[in-house]
Protein backbone atom coordinates (compact mmCIF):
# COMPACT_ATOMS: atom_id res chain seq x y z
CA UNK A 1 0.00 0.00 0.00
CA UNK A 2 1.47 3.29 -1.03
CA UNK A 3 0.90 6.76 0.43
CA UNK A 4 -1.66 7.76 -2.20
CA UNK A 5 -3.95 4.81 -1.43
CA UNK A 6 -3.75 5.53 2.29
CA UNK A 7 -4.64 9.19 1.65
CA UNK A 8 -7.66 8.18 -0.49
CA UNK A 9 -9.00 5.82 2.23
CA UNK A 10 -8.55 8.44 4.94
CA UNK A 11 -10.20 11.10 2.75
CA UNK A 12 -13.15 8.77 2.08
CA UNK A 13 -13.66 8.15 5.81
CA UNK A 14 -13.45 11.86 6.65
CA UNK A 15 -15.82 12.72 3.82
CA UNK A 16 -18.35 10.11 5.03
CA UNK A 17 -18.16 11.49 8.55
CA UNK A 18 -18.72 15.02 7.23
CA UNK A 19 -21.78 13.89 5.22
CA UNK A 20 -23.28 12.22 8.32
CA UNK A 21 -22.64 15.29 10.52
CA UNK A 22 -24.15 17.67 7.95
CA UNK A 23 -27.13 15.33 7.45
CA UNK A 24 -27.70 15.22 11.21
CA UNK A 25 -27.53 19.03 11.44
CA UNK A 26 -30.00 19.48 8.54
CA UNK A 27 -32.46 16.93 9.99
CA UNK A 28 -32.28 18.62 13.41
CA UNK A 29 -33.07 22.01 11.87
CA UNK A 30 -35.93 20.61 9.82
CA UNK A 31 -37.74 19.04 12.76
CA UNK A 32 -37.06 21.73 15.35
CA UNK A 33 -38.15 24.94 13.74
CA UNK A 34 -39.02 27.18 16.71
CA UNK A 35 -35.99 28.88 18.25
CA UNK A 36 -34.23 27.16 21.11
CA UNK A 37 -34.92 23.49 21.49
CA UNK A 38 -37.42 22.80 24.27
CA UNK A 39 -39.07 26.25 24.16
CA UNK A 40 -41.82 25.17 21.82
CA UNK A 41 -45.45 24.92 22.91
CA UNK A 42 -47.25 21.64 22.55
CA UNK A 43 -49.84 21.53 19.80
CA UNK A 44 -52.36 20.04 22.22
CA UNK A 45 -52.32 18.69 25.75
CA UNK A 46 -54.14 15.66 27.05
CA UNK A 47 -55.50 16.03 30.57
CA UNK A 48 -55.18 12.95 32.74
CA UNK A 49 -57.13 12.35 35.92
CA UNK A 50 -54.94 12.01 38.95
CA UNK A 51 -55.35 8.95 41.15
CA UNK A 52 -53.71 10.74 44.06
CA UNK A 53 -55.97 12.63 46.39
CA UNK A 54 -54.68 15.96 47.59
CA UNK A 55 -53.21 15.60 51.02
CA UNK A 56 -54.55 18.21 53.41
CA UNK A 57 -51.99 19.29 55.96
CA UNK A 58 -53.59 19.64 59.36
CA UNK A 59 -51.84 22.11 61.63
CA UNK A 60 -51.78 20.93 65.21
CA UNK A 61 -51.84 23.60 67.88
CA UNK A 62 -49.23 23.47 70.59
CA UNK A 63 -51.87 22.93 73.27
CA UNK A 64 -53.14 19.81 71.48
CA UNK A 65 -49.62 18.51 70.93
CA UNK A 66 -48.70 19.22 74.57
CA UNK A 67 -51.79 17.39 75.81
CA UNK A 68 -50.79 14.34 73.75
CA UNK A 69 -47.06 14.57 74.55
CA UNK A 70 -45.06 11.39 75.07
CA UNK A 71 -42.70 11.77 78.03
CA UNK A 72 -40.65 8.71 77.01
CA UNK A 73 -40.06 10.24 73.59
CA UNK A 74 -39.09 13.49 75.33
CA UNK A 75 -36.54 11.59 77.39
CA UNK A 76 -34.96 10.30 74.18
CA UNK A 77 -34.98 13.80 72.68
CA UNK A 78 -33.27 15.12 75.81
CA UNK A 79 -30.05 13.45 74.66
CA UNK A 80 -29.59 16.27 72.12
CA UNK A 81 -29.83 18.85 74.90
CA UNK A 82 -27.67 16.97 77.39
CA UNK A 83 -24.53 17.86 75.46
CA UNK A 84 -24.79 21.44 76.76
CA UNK A 85 -27.35 21.39 79.60
CA UNK A 86 -27.64 19.55 82.91
CA UNK A 87 -30.78 18.62 84.86
CA UNK A 88 -29.23 19.08 88.28
CA UNK A 89 -30.09 22.22 90.22
CA UNK A 90 -27.13 24.63 90.08
CA UNK A 91 -25.00 22.50 87.71
CA UNK A 92 -24.50 24.65 84.64
CA UNK A 93 -22.81 23.32 81.56
CA UNK A 94 -22.21 25.19 78.34
CA UNK A 95 -25.83 26.26 78.80
CA UNK A 96 -27.76 26.93 82.01
CA UNK A 97 -29.14 24.02 84.02
CA UNK A 98 -32.67 23.02 83.03
CA UNK A 99 -33.78 21.73 86.40
CA UNK A 100 -37.28 23.09 87.02
CA UNK A 101 -37.08 25.18 83.83
CA UNK A 102 -40.82 25.10 83.02
CA UNK A 103 -42.29 28.12 84.80
CA UNK A 104 -38.91 29.62 85.76
CA UNK A 105 -38.07 33.26 84.99
CA UNK A 106 -36.12 33.76 81.77
CA UNK A 107 -32.46 34.49 82.36
CA UNK A 108 -32.68 33.79 86.09
CA UNK A 109 -30.08 31.07 86.71
CA UNK A 110 -27.50 32.41 89.14
CA UNK A 111 -23.91 32.08 88.01
CA UNK A 112 -24.66 31.67 84.31
CA UNK A 113 -23.61 34.36 81.84
CA UNK A 114 -26.58 34.72 79.49
CA UNK A 115 -26.31 36.48 76.15
CA UNK A 116 -27.66 40.02 76.32
CA UNK A 117 -30.99 39.30 74.68
CA UNK A 118 -31.88 36.40 77.01
CA UNK A 119 -30.72 38.24 80.11
CA UNK A 120 -33.04 41.14 79.30
CA UNK A 121 -36.11 39.06 78.42
CA UNK A 122 -39.08 39.36 80.74
CA UNK A 123 -41.53 36.63 81.68
CA UNK A 124 -41.43 32.95 82.48
CA UNK A 125 -40.48 29.89 80.47
CA UNK A 126 -44.03 28.70 79.87
CA UNK A 127 -44.48 25.62 77.68
CA UNK A 128 -45.51 27.90 74.79
CA UNK A 129 -42.43 30.12 75.23
CA UNK A 130 -40.16 27.08 75.42
CA UNK A 131 -41.76 25.72 72.25
CA UNK A 132 -41.10 28.97 70.40
CA UNK A 133 -37.50 29.01 71.61
CA UNK A 134 -36.89 25.36 70.74
CA UNK A 135 -38.40 25.80 67.28
CA UNK A 136 -35.77 28.38 66.36
CA UNK A 137 -33.60 29.96 69.05
CA UNK A 138 -32.17 32.51 66.59
CA UNK A 139 -35.65 33.72 65.59
CA UNK A 140 -37.11 33.69 69.12
CA UNK A 141 -34.18 35.54 70.66
CA UNK A 142 -32.17 37.29 67.91
CA UNK A 143 -28.60 37.66 69.06
CA UNK A 144 -28.55 34.57 71.26
CA UNK A 145 -25.29 32.67 71.28
CA UNK A 146 -27.01 29.29 71.52
CA UNK A 147 -25.82 27.32 68.51
CA UNK A 148 -28.79 24.94 68.31
CA UNK A 149 -30.56 25.02 64.93
CA UNK A 150 -34.01 24.24 66.31
CA UNK A 151 -36.58 21.46 66.44
CA UNK A 152 -39.14 21.69 63.65
CA UNK A 153 -41.73 19.09 64.71
CA UNK A 154 -44.25 20.46 67.18
CA UNK A 155 -44.87 16.98 68.60
CA UNK A 156 -41.17 16.58 69.40
CA UNK A 157 -41.03 19.97 71.11
CA UNK A 158 -44.15 19.15 73.16
CA UNK A 159 -42.71 15.78 74.23
CA UNK A 160 -39.39 17.33 75.25
CA UNK A 161 -41.10 20.09 77.24
CA UNK A 162 -43.37 17.53 78.95
CA UNK A 163 -40.27 15.57 79.92
CA UNK A 164 -38.56 18.72 81.24
CA UNK A 165 -41.68 19.51 83.24
CA UNK A 166 -41.35 16.20 85.09
CA UNK A 167 -37.84 17.16 86.18
CA UNK A 168 -38.39 19.70 88.89
CA UNK A 169 -40.28 20.44 92.02
Amino acid sequence: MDTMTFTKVLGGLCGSLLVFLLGSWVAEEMYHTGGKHGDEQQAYAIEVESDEAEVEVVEVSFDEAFAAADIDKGKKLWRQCSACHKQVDGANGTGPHLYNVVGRDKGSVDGFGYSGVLASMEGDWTPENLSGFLESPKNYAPGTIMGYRGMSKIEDRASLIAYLQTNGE
Side-chain angles (χ1 to χ4, degrees):
M1 220 161 107
D2 62 350
T3 308
M4 190 62 169
T5 307
F6 180 71
T7 304
K8 288 180 189 178
V9 170
L10 185 63
L13 290 174
C14 289
S16 299
L17 180 63
L18 183 61
V19 167
F20 283 124
L21 287 175
L22 288 174
S24 172
W25 176 71
V26 169
E28 189 74 26
E29 290 302 314
M30 285 175 48
Y31 291 109
H32 292 98
T33 58
K36 289 183 181 177
H37 302 294
D39 290 343
E40 300 89 13
Q41 295 286 331
Q42 291 183 357
Y44 58 91
I46 301 172
E47 292 187 27
V48 179
E49 292 181 25
S50 176
D51 291 341
E52 297 178 18
E54 289 186 30
V55 177
E56 186 176 318
V57 177
V58 178
E59 298 247 353
V60 178
S61 71
F62 179 75
D63 292 332
E64 292 172 358
F66 193 62
D70 181 7
I71 294 174
D72 291 331
K73 184 176 180 182
K75 188 174 184 176
K76 291 176 186 172
L77 291 167
W78 164 252
R79 291 184 189 141
Q80 299 175 36
C81 308
S82 65
C84 299
H85 298 278
K86 308 273 186 264
Q87 288 188 359
V88 178
D89 191 16
N92 295 324
T94 304
H97 71 82
L98 297 181
Y99 177 80
N100 204 22
V101 69
V102 180
R104 181 173 71 198
D105 287 339
K106 296 178 183 175
S108 65
V109 173
D110 290 332
F112 184 76
Y114 287 97
S115 56
V117 69
L118 283 174
S120 65
M121 279 188 156
E122 304 252 341
D124 295 338
W125 283 119
T126 63
E128 292 81 12
N129 287 339
L130 282 168
S131 176
F133 186 74
L134 288 172
E135 182 177 12
S136 177
K138 300 284 184 195
N139 290 341
Y140 185 85
T144 185
I145 57 174
M146 183 171 171
Y148 184 62
R149 65 174 173 77
M151 191 177 289
S152 60
K153 288 185 175 181
I154 195 167
E155 293 85 6
D156 290 348
R157 292 192 310 266
S159 295
L160 178 61
I161 294 167
Y163 171 69
L164 288 173
Q165 195 171 27
T166 64
N167 183 22
E169 296 170 357

